[in-house]
Amino acid sequence: MIITAILKSSLIFAIDTQAFACSYVGPRPPAQMMQESDAVFSGFVIAASNADATFSIENAWKGVSEEVVTLLSGPGDCSYIALK
């Protein structure tokens, strides 16, 4: 039993513990990406912090009708949860 316990506990250290903050699902067709997105626009960042980023909108194709939009940061470094 002691040998079994030692072998089982050594497996914990053999498991890959590498983690990634962001995942990339690979390229998708632009039409699919547009359909899956809440907002699609181009513009310039005019202010940014750890909690949000404010954009001056140059072109808007979906979900944006204002000239300035602030995106609030989501639960991680790779997402935004809301337009403000």
Side-chain angles (χ1 to χ4, degrees):
M1 283 184 25
I2 294 174
I3 294 173
T4 303
I6 292 171
L7 288 174
K8 285 183 180 181
S9 64
S10 66
L11 288 176
I12 293 172
F13 300 107
I15 297 172
D16 185 13
T17 58
Q18 187 175 15
F20 299 96
C22 304
S23 63
Y24 177 65
V25 294
R28 296 180 311 241
Q32 179 184 356
M33 292 171 51
M34 175 102 139
Q35 183 180 13
E36 294 171 355
S37 299
D38 293 326
V40 180
F41 62 89
S42 66
F44 300 93
V45 175
I46 56 176
S49 71
N50 289 337
D52 59 35
T54 302
F55 296 84
S56 173
I57 304 301
E58 189 173 80
N59 295 296
W61 293 275
K62 180 180 178 183
V64 176
S65 58
E66 298 83 9
E67 292 181 12
V68 175
V69 171
T70 299
L71 297 178
L72 304 176
S73 178
D77 293 336
C78 304
S79 65
Y80 286 90
I81 58 172
L83 292 172
K84 178 175 153 188

XYZ file of all heavy atoms in Angstrom:
620
model
N 0.823 -1.194 0.000
C 0.000 0.000 0.000
C 0.864 1.253 0.000
O 0.513 2.225 -0.638
C -0.939 -0.004 1.201
C -2.107 -0.930 0.990
S -3.398 -1.000 2.236
C -3.412 0.487 3.091
N 1.959 1.214 0.707
C 2.843 2.378 0.754
C 3.425 2.649 -0.627
O 3.469 3.796 -1.080
C 3.955 2.186 1.791
C 3.349 2.143 3.195
C 4.996 3.277 1.670
C 4.340 1.812 4.272
N 3.820 1.574 -1.327
C 4.380 1.746 -2.671
C 3.325 2.310 -3.617
O 3.605 3.201 -4.421
C 4.943 0.402 -3.198
C 6.142 -0.006 -2.343
C 5.323 0.509 -4.662
C 6.685 -1.368 -2.653
N 2.086 1.837 -3.515
C 0.991 2.345 -4.348
C 0.750 3.824 -4.074
O 0.575 4.622 -4.996
C -0.301 1.551 -4.089
O -0.047 0.168 -4.348
C -1.422 2.027 -4.974
N 0.765 4.208 -2.815
C 0.564 5.614 -2.455
C 1.689 6.488 -3.005
O 1.450 7.589 -3.506
C 0.463 5.763 -0.946
N 2.906 6.009 -2.939
C 4.050 6.773 -3.463
C 3.937 6.917 -4.977
O 4.150 7.999 -5.529
C 5.385 6.106 -3.061
C 5.597 6.221 -1.559
C 6.550 6.723 -3.827
C 6.763 5.410 -1.028
N 3.561 5.839 -5.666
C 3.410 5.902 -7.114
C 2.292 6.860 -7.517
O 2.435 7.647 -8.451
C 3.146 4.507 -7.681
C 4.326 3.547 -7.682
C 3.883 2.164 -8.129
C 5.437 4.068 -8.571
N 1.165 6.808 -6.818
C 0.053 7.707 -7.124
C 0.433 9.160 -6.870
O 0.100 10.043 -7.651
C -1.183 7.328 -6.312
C -1.864 6.095 -6.827
C -3.127 5.799 -6.040
C -3.808 4.557 -6.561
N -5.035 4.261 -5.835
N 1.120 9.432 -5.803
C 1.498 10.810 -5.507
C 2.539 11.318 -6.498
O 2.596 12.506 -6.800
C 2.006 10.953 -4.070
O 3.197 10.214 -3.899
N 3.378 10.432 -7.036
C 4.371 10.870 -8.018
C 3.711 11.230 -9.344
O 4.264 11.996 -10.129
C 5.450 9.816 -8.210
O 4.903 8.659 -8.802
N 2.522 10.691 -9.626
C 1.808 11.024 -10.853
C 1.373 12.494 -10.872
O 1.243 13.094 -11.932
C 0.599 10.113 -11.036
C 0.906 8.672 -11.409
C -0.382 7.855 -11.463
C 1.643 8.598 -12.731
N 1.142 13.054 -9.715
C 0.750 14.466 -9.634
C 1.813 15.343 -10.283
O 1.512 16.285 -10.998
C 0.511 14.884 -8.164
C -0.707 14.152 -7.622
C 0.354 16.392 -8.040
C -0.917 14.330 -6.138
N 3.065 15.003 -10.073
C 4.154 15.792 -10.633
C 4.400 15.501 -12.109
O 5.038 16.266 -12.807
C 5.436 15.580 -9.826
C 5.278 15.979 -8.395
C 5.192 15.034 -7.396
C 5.172 17.323 -8.056
C 5.036 15.415 -6.076
C 5.005 17.707 -6.736
C 4.932 16.753 -5.740
N 3.870 14.402 -12.604
C 4.048 14.040 -14.014
C 3.017 14.703 -14.915
O 3.190 14.766 -16.117
C 3.976 12.528 -14.165
N 1.938 15.199 -14.344
C 0.884 15.837 -15.127
C 1.372 17.209 -15.590
O 1.964 17.965 -14.836
C -0.404 15.981 -14.283
C -0.933 14.597 -13.905
C -1.461 16.770 -15.029
C -2.073 14.628 -12.921
N 1.094 17.519 -16.849
C 1.485 18.810 -17.404
C 0.682 19.913 -16.716
O -0.541 19.906 -16.736
C 1.231 18.829 -18.901
C 1.724 20.094 -19.569
O 2.482 20.843 -18.932
O 1.360 20.311 -20.731
N 1.369 20.850 -16.110
C 0.696 21.927 -15.375
C 0.732 23.248 -16.132
O 0.370 24.277 -15.584
C 1.345 22.120 -13.994
O 2.726 22.408 -14.181
C 1.172 20.892 -13.135
N 1.163 23.233 -17.385
C 1.219 24.464 -18.166
C -0.199 24.924 -18.477
O -1.060 24.131 -18.849
C 1.988 24.217 -19.453
C 2.229 25.470 -20.243
C 3.112 25.187 -21.454
O 3.311 24.038 -21.834
N 3.625 26.220 -22.048
N -0.442 26.217 -18.316
C -1.750 26.784 -18.601
C -1.568 28.022 -19.468
O -0.542 28.689 -19.420
C -2.454 27.153 -17.299
N -2.568 28.327 -20.232
C -2.528 29.487 -21.116
C -3.667 30.432 -20.761
O -4.785 30.005 -20.515
C -2.655 29.050 -22.579
C -1.541 28.150 -23.012
C -1.695 26.778 -23.003
C -0.322 28.675 -23.394
C -0.663 25.939 -23.397
C 0.716 27.853 -23.779
C 0.542 26.481 -23.787
N -3.385 31.719 -20.746
C -4.399 32.709 -20.413
C -5.435 32.831 -21.512
O -6.602 33.059 -21.256
C -3.745 34.064 -20.151
N -5.031 32.678 -22.756
C -5.937 32.842 -23.890
C -5.872 31.595 -24.762
O -4.828 30.989 -24.907
C -5.527 34.039 -24.737
S -5.435 35.564 -23.809
N -6.979 31.264 -25.343
C -6.967 30.156 -26.292
C -7.303 30.704 -27.670
O -8.026 31.682 -27.821
C -7.970 29.077 -25.884
O -9.277 29.600 -25.901
N -6.780 30.063 -28.674
C -6.995 30.486 -30.042
C -7.612 29.312 -30.782
O -7.031 28.240 -30.839
C -5.662 30.905 -30.667
C -5.756 31.292 -32.111
C -6.493 32.403 -32.486
C -5.122 30.547 -33.088
C -6.590 32.765 -33.811
C -5.210 30.907 -34.417
C -5.945 32.021 -34.767
O -6.046 32.371 -36.082
N -8.788 29.511 -31.332
C -9.495 28.414 -31.977
C -9.151 28.293 -33.451
O -9.661 27.411 -34.125
C -11.023 28.568 -31.808
C -11.413 28.438 -30.359
C -11.514 29.857 -32.395
N -8.308 29.144 -33.942
C -7.917 29.060 -35.339
C -8.737 29.984 -36.215
O -9.732 30.570 -35.792
N -8.326 30.117 -37.448
C -9.025 31.038 -38.351
C -10.415 30.523 -38.716
O -10.642 29.321 -38.844
C -8.110 31.073 -39.576
C -7.331 29.809 -39.527
C -7.189 29.472 -38.066
N -11.330 31.455 -38.825
C -12.690 31.157 -39.268
C -13.023 32.134 -40.385
O -12.443 33.209 -40.471
C -13.664 31.315 -38.108
C -13.408 30.329 -36.980
C -14.408 30.522 -35.861
N -14.519 31.915 -35.468
C -14.243 32.394 -34.263
N -13.853 31.597 -33.324
N -14.359 33.668 -33.995
N -13.980 31.811 -41.214
C -14.369 32.737 -42.276
C -14.866 34.058 -41.687
O -15.547 34.066 -40.651
C -15.502 31.999 -42.993
C -15.341 30.558 -42.617
C -14.713 30.559 -41.252
N -14.535 35.188 -42.318
C -14.974 36.493 -41.798
C -16.480 36.581 -41.582
O -16.939 37.174 -40.606
C -14.502 37.471 -42.874
C -13.339 36.790 -43.512
C -13.674 35.323 -43.487
N -17.276 36.011 -42.475
C -18.735 36.075 -42.317
C -19.181 35.370 -41.038
O -20.081 35.844 -40.337
C -19.422 35.453 -43.532
N -18.544 34.256 -40.710
C -18.874 33.532 -39.479
C -18.469 34.350 -38.258
O -19.214 34.442 -37.283
C -18.174 32.173 -39.451
C -18.453 31.381 -38.189
C -17.676 30.078 -38.122
O -16.973 29.702 -39.049
N -17.789 29.384 -37.006
N -17.281 34.941 -38.301
C -16.818 35.760 -37.183
C -17.744 36.959 -36.972
O -18.061 37.322 -35.844
C -15.378 36.209 -37.432
C -14.400 35.048 -37.379
S -12.714 35.424 -37.913
C -12.301 36.858 -36.981
N -18.198 37.574 -38.063
C -19.113 38.714 -37.967
C -20.432 38.279 -37.334
O -20.959 38.959 -36.459
C -19.354 39.293 -39.362
C -20.377 40.387 -39.393
S -19.561 41.950 -39.479
C -20.568 42.825 -40.630
N -20.946 37.133 -37.757
C -22.214 36.631 -37.215
C -22.112 36.324 -35.728
O -23.033 36.586 -34.957
C -22.636 35.385 -37.983
C -23.966 34.820 -37.547
C -24.349 33.577 -38.335
O -23.533 32.990 -39.037
N -25.593 33.170 -38.209
N -20.979 35.799 -35.273
C -20.801 35.410 -33.873
C -20.467 36.589 -32.966
O -20.506 36.455 -31.743
C -19.683 34.364 -33.775
C -20.029 33.047 -34.435
C -18.850 32.092 -34.529
O -17.719 32.479 -34.167
O -19.071 30.952 -34.974
N -20.162 37.732 -33.523
C -19.749 38.891 -32.731
C -20.924 39.792 -32.398
O -21.867 39.923 -33.180
C -18.706 39.702 -33.514
O -17.571 38.924 -33.761
N -20.855 40.419 -31.221
C -21.878 41.384 -30.825
C -21.646 42.739 -31.474
O -22.589 43.481 -31.745
C -21.894 41.563 -29.301
C -22.343 40.311 -28.582
O -23.200 39.583 -29.118
O -21.828 40.052 -27.485
N -20.396 43.079 -31.695
C -20.045 44.369 -32.291
C -18.844 44.192 -33.204
O -17.923 43.444 -32.887
C -19.737 45.399 -31.213
N -18.883 44.890 -34.341
C -17.769 44.876 -35.283
C -17.535 46.310 -35.728
O -18.439 46.953 -36.258
C -18.065 43.980 -36.507
C -16.885 43.983 -37.470
C -18.414 42.564 -36.074
N -16.321 46.811 -35.447
C -16.021 48.195 -35.805
C -14.524 48.376 -35.961
O -13.733 47.544 -35.551
C -16.555 49.169 -34.747
C -15.941 48.984 -33.382
C -14.774 49.653 -33.025
C -16.531 48.150 -32.453
C -14.204 49.486 -31.771
C -15.976 47.977 -31.195
C -14.808 48.647 -30.850
N -14.144 49.491 -36.570
C -12.739 49.896 -36.600
C -12.661 51.284 -35.995
O -13.620 52.053 -36.034
C -12.180 49.893 -38.029
O -12.810 50.884 -38.818
N -11.518 51.599 -35.421
C -11.355 52.894 -34.785
C -10.011 52.999 -34.112
O -9.098 52.214 -34.384
N -9.894 53.969 -33.243
C -8.643 54.253 -32.550
C -8.866 54.232 -31.051
O -9.882 54.722 -30.563
C -8.107 55.630 -32.958
C -7.829 55.742 -34.421
C -8.792 56.225 -35.292
C -6.605 55.344 -34.931
C -8.539 56.323 -36.651
C -6.341 55.433 -36.281
C -7.311 55.929 -37.148
N -7.923 53.671 -30.323
C -7.978 53.705 -28.862
C -7.632 55.122 -28.422
O -6.589 55.668 -28.791
C -6.990 52.701 -28.238
C -6.971 52.843 -26.723
C -7.334 51.283 -28.645
N -8.536 55.732 -27.655
C -8.274 57.095 -27.165
C -8.005 57.120 -25.660
O -7.519 58.116 -25.142
C -9.419 58.064 -27.545
C -10.770 57.576 -27.039
C -9.450 58.258 -29.051
C -11.923 58.536 -27.290
N -8.307 56.010 -24.977
C -8.000 55.892 -23.544
C -8.049 54.414 -23.183
O -8.836 53.661 -23.744
C -9.004 56.667 -22.694
N -7.193 54.015 -22.250
C -7.182 52.615 -21.825
C -6.698 52.511 -20.394
O -5.892 53.318 -19.931
C -6.280 51.787 -22.736
N -7.221 51.504 -19.697
C -6.783 51.186 -18.342
C -6.865 49.677 -18.189
O -7.194 48.965 -19.140
C -7.668 51.876 -17.306
O -8.950 51.279 -17.275
N -6.615 49.174 -16.996
C -6.752 47.740 -16.753
C -8.202 47.288 -16.805
O -8.482 46.119 -17.020
C -6.158 47.367 -15.402
C -4.654 47.451 -15.397
O -4.023 47.377 -16.449
N -4.080 47.620 -14.232
N -9.140 48.213 -16.612
C -10.551 47.851 -16.533
C -11.327 48.100 -17.820
O -12.381 47.521 -18.022
C -11.213 48.627 -15.400
N -10.820 48.974 -18.712
C -11.580 49.267 -19.920
C -10.703 49.894 -21.004
O -9.547 50.227 -20.767
C -12.766 50.174 -19.613
C -12.368 51.507 -18.986
O -11.313 52.055 -19.346
O -13.119 51.992 -18.138
N -11.286 50.020 -22.188
C -10.632 50.694 -23.309
C -11.691 51.499 -24.040
O -12.787 51.013 -24.307
C -9.988 49.691 -24.251
N -11.378 52.757 -24.352
C -12.304 53.631 -25.057
C -11.813 53.843 -26.478
O -10.637 54.140 -26.699
C -12.440 54.980 -24.327
O -12.898 54.727 -22.992
C -13.439 55.889 -25.016
N -12.719 53.678 -27.433
C -12.402 53.779 -28.846
C -13.158 54.930 -29.490
O -14.336 55.144 -29.209
C -12.806 52.499 -29.592
C -12.062 51.281 -29.172
C -12.462 50.541 -28.073
C -10.959 50.852 -29.887
C -11.777 49.407 -27.685
C -10.266 49.712 -29.514
C -10.674 48.991 -28.407
N -12.494 55.635 -30.382
C -13.142 56.566 -31.293
C -13.491 55.737 -32.532
O -12.602 55.174 -33.183
C -12.186 57.706 -31.652
O -12.750 58.509 -32.656
N -14.769 55.651 -32.864
C -15.226 54.768 -33.933
C -15.039 55.439 -35.294
O -15.482 56.557 -35.520
C -16.715 54.396 -33.736
C -16.928 53.759 -32.362
C -17.195 53.473 -34.851
C -16.126 52.515 -32.097
N -14.373 54.720 -36.185
C -14.163 55.197 -37.554
C -15.197 54.575 -38.492
O -15.826 55.271 -39.288
C -12.757 54.844 -38.003
C -12.355 55.485 -39.314
C -10.892 55.237 -39.606
O -10.566 54.126 -40.081
O -10.089 56.142 -39.356
N -15.374 53.258 -38.414
C -16.373 52.526 -39.200
C -17.054 51.519 -38.288
O -16.382 50.832 -37.525
C -15.719 51.764 -40.359
C -15.087 52.677 -41.374
O -15.770 53.455 -42.022
N -13.777 52.605 -41.508
N -18.371 51.416 -38.400
C -19.120 50.435 -37.615
C -19.945 49.577 -38.561
O -20.669 50.096 -39.404
C -20.020 51.136 -36.607
N -19.809 48.251 -38.429
C -20.557 47.328 -39.262
C -21.658 46.625 -38.480
O -22.626 46.174 -39.075
C -19.617 46.286 -39.870
C -18.670 46.879 -40.857
C -18.914 47.110 -42.189
C -17.354 47.348 -40.607
N -17.809 47.692 -42.763
C -16.831 47.850 -41.821
C -16.545 47.401 -39.473
C -15.560 48.380 -41.929
C -15.280 47.934 -39.581
C -14.797 48.417 -40.800
N -21.496 46.527 -37.164
C -22.495 45.803 -36.376
C -22.407 46.221 -34.909
O -21.322 46.325 -34.356
C -22.236 44.294 -36.495
C -23.207 43.423 -35.735
C -22.881 41.959 -35.919
C -23.823 41.096 -35.111
N -23.491 39.674 -35.217
N -23.573 46.480 -34.291
C -23.657 46.641 -32.850
C -23.191 47.959 -32.272
O -23.201 48.124 -31.060
N -22.771 48.909 -33.104
C -22.273 50.193 -32.604
C -22.920 51.319 -33.406
O -22.888 51.296 -34.630
C -20.737 50.284 -32.734
C -20.241 51.645 -32.313
C -20.066 49.194 -31.930
N -23.500 52.299 -32.701
C -24.078 53.456 -33.394
C -23.512 54.772 -32.861
O -23.842 55.826 -33.377
C -25.603 53.443 -33.256
O -25.975 53.457 -31.885
N -22.649 54.691 -31.844
C -22.066 55.883 -31.250
C -20.731 56.213 -31.919
O -20.141 55.399 -32.603
C -21.838 55.676 -29.739
C -23.095 55.428 -28.940
C -23.541 53.971 -28.967
O -22.772 53.121 -29.463
O -24.655 53.686 -28.534
N -20.246 57.436 -31.666
C -18.947 57.854 -32.181
C -17.809 57.432 -31.259
O -16.669 57.319 -31.693
C -18.917 59.369 -32.375
C -19.833 59.839 -33.488
C -19.780 61.347 -33.684
O -18.881 62.004 -33.117
O -20.641 61.860 -34.414
N -18.126 57.225 -29.975
C -17.146 56.796 -28.985
C -17.750 55.627 -28.205
O -18.903 55.680 -27.786
C -16.779 57.952 -28.012
C -15.856 57.460 -26.911
C -16.140 59.100 -28.770
N -16.963 54.566 -28.030
C -17.436 53.366 -27.328
C -16.370 52.953 -26.318
O -15.176 52.984 -26.611
C -17.676 52.212 -28.330
C -17.954 50.911 -27.608
C -18.807 52.540 -29.265
N -16.819 52.548 -25.124
C -15.918 52.011 -24.107
C -16.244 50.541 -23.901
O -17.399 50.178 -23.680
C -16.065 52.770 -22.768
O -15.739 54.135 -22.989
C -15.147 52.183 -21.708
N -15.233 49.696 -23.992
C -15.388 48.272 -23.727
C -14.896 47.994 -22.320
O -13.779 48.362 -21.965
C -14.574 47.446 -24.722
C -14.966 47.559 -26.185
C -14.036 46.716 -27.042
C -16.401 47.138 -26.391
N -15.740 47.360 -21.523
C -15.372 47.003 -20.155
C -14.668 45.662 -20.167
O -15.088 44.742 -20.862
C -16.620 46.947 -19.273
C -17.469 48.213 -19.238
C -18.726 47.978 -18.414
C -16.668 49.367 -18.700
N -13.627 45.529 -19.403
C -12.842 44.298 -19.364
C -13.653 43.161 -18.780
O -14.432 43.335 -17.853
C -11.581 44.520 -18.521
O -10.836 43.346 -18.439
N -13.436 41.954 -19.341
C -14.117 40.771 -18.866
C -13.315 40.043 -17.802
O -12.310 40.571 -17.298
N -13.735 38.834 -17.490
C -13.065 38.065 -16.431
C -11.785 37.394 -16.924
O -11.670 36.202 -16.987
C -14.118 37.040 -16.058
C -14.879 36.822 -17.335
C -14.882 38.158 -18.028
N -10.816 38.172 -17.297
C -9.553 37.652 -17.799
C -8.915 38.648 -18.741
O -9.477 39.695 -19.033
N -7.740 38.316 -19.223
C -7.027 39.234 -20.100
C -7.463 39.142 -21.550
O -6.997 39.904 -22.371
C -5.521 38.955 -20.014
C -4.958 39.285 -18.657
O -5.558 40.110 -17.947
O -3.914 38.709 -18.313
N -8.336 38.235 -21.879
C -8.637 37.969 -23.280
C -10.082 38.249 -23.652
O -10.545 37.808 -24.687
C -8.315 36.529 -23.602
S -6.627 36.120 -23.225
N -10.830 38.939 -22.832
C -12.229 39.138 -23.159
C -12.724 40.505 -22.716
O -12.171 41.133 -21.842
C -13.083 38.061 -22.488
O -13.019 38.188 -21.089
N -13.769 40.929 -23.387
C -14.490 42.134 -22.998
C -15.945 41.753 -22.865
O -16.463 40.964 -23.658
C -14.295 43.236 -24.045
C -12.907 43.825 -23.952
C -11.862 43.306 -24.675
C -12.673 44.877 -23.094
C -10.576 43.833 -24.547
C -11.393 45.412 -22.961
C -10.360 44.883 -23.701
O -9.107 45.405 -23.566
N -16.614 42.288 -21.858
C -17.960 41.808 -21.555
C -19.074 42.764 -21.953
O -20.203 42.351 -22.036
C -18.094 41.456 -20.057
C -17.766 42.644 -19.186
C -17.272 40.255 -19.710
C -18.056 42.439 -17.719
N -18.793 44.031 -22.175
C -19.902 44.937 -22.440
C -19.436 46.174 -23.179
O -18.310 46.618 -23.024
C -20.557 45.341 -21.125
N -20.343 46.722 -23.948
C -20.139 48.046 -24.518
C -20.768 49.039 -23.565
O -21.844 48.816 -23.036
C -20.832 48.145 -25.900
C -20.246 47.316 -27.018
C -21.148 47.383 -28.232
C -18.864 47.816 -27.375
N -20.104 50.139 -23.373
C -20.613 51.159 -22.441
C -20.824 52.435 -23.216
O -20.074 52.790 -24.083
C -19.584 51.356 -21.342
C -19.917 52.393 -20.341
C -18.853 52.369 -19.262
C -18.715 53.711 -18.599
N -17.593 53.767 -17.695
